[in-house]
Amino acid sequence: MRLYLGIPVVLLGLLTAASGMAAITRGWALPTNRKSVHRPQLYGWGQLMMATALGWQAVFGLLIDDLGTRHWGTLTGSLLMVTGIIVIAVSHRTAGHQRGGSAS
């Protein structure tokens, strides 16, 4: 990974981590996700996993020169990112679940 790719990845990871911490501590979610997030703390943990994965991939992509170590490091970061996506998906409401409405 080159520096011109590493800087945006690190910045995106920091913003995701800040949003995740806000979701965990305050129950705050981004305005585009507020209606669909059912469990904000779980959503925040998923965002923190995503931020960790981005940082992990940036470190192994920028700082590690050994190809074998770089390969396994970025693969681990990818698995962590997929796990974060799954956690975020679990924190969202399902399409059939409606609060306060009657099913008629």
Side-chain angles (χ1 to χ4, degrees), residues 14-76:
L14 289 173
L15 289 174
T16 305
S19 177
M21 287 303 297
I24 291 171
T25 58
R26 305 274 187 207
W28 182 84
L30 291 169
T32 56
N33 291 336
R34 282 189 190 145
K35 290 182 181 180
S36 63
V37 172
H38 182 62
R39 291 174 278 196
Q41 284 78 21
L42 187 61
Y43 177 76
W45 282 110
Q47 283 190 319
L48 283 180
M49 292 175 85
M50 294 281 292
T52 304
L54 286 171
W56 188 271
Q57 288 182 341
V59 165
F60 277 93
L62 285 173
L63 301 177
I64 306 298
D65 290 330
D66 181 32
L67 290 179
T69 306
R70 180 184 291 180
H71 170 74
W72 287 108
T74 54
L75 182 64
T76 303

Side-chain angles (χ1 to χ4, degrees), residues 1-9 62:
M1 182 183 303
R2 303 286 180 238
L3 194 57
Y4 61 88
L5 292 175
I7 291 173
V9 167
L62 285 173

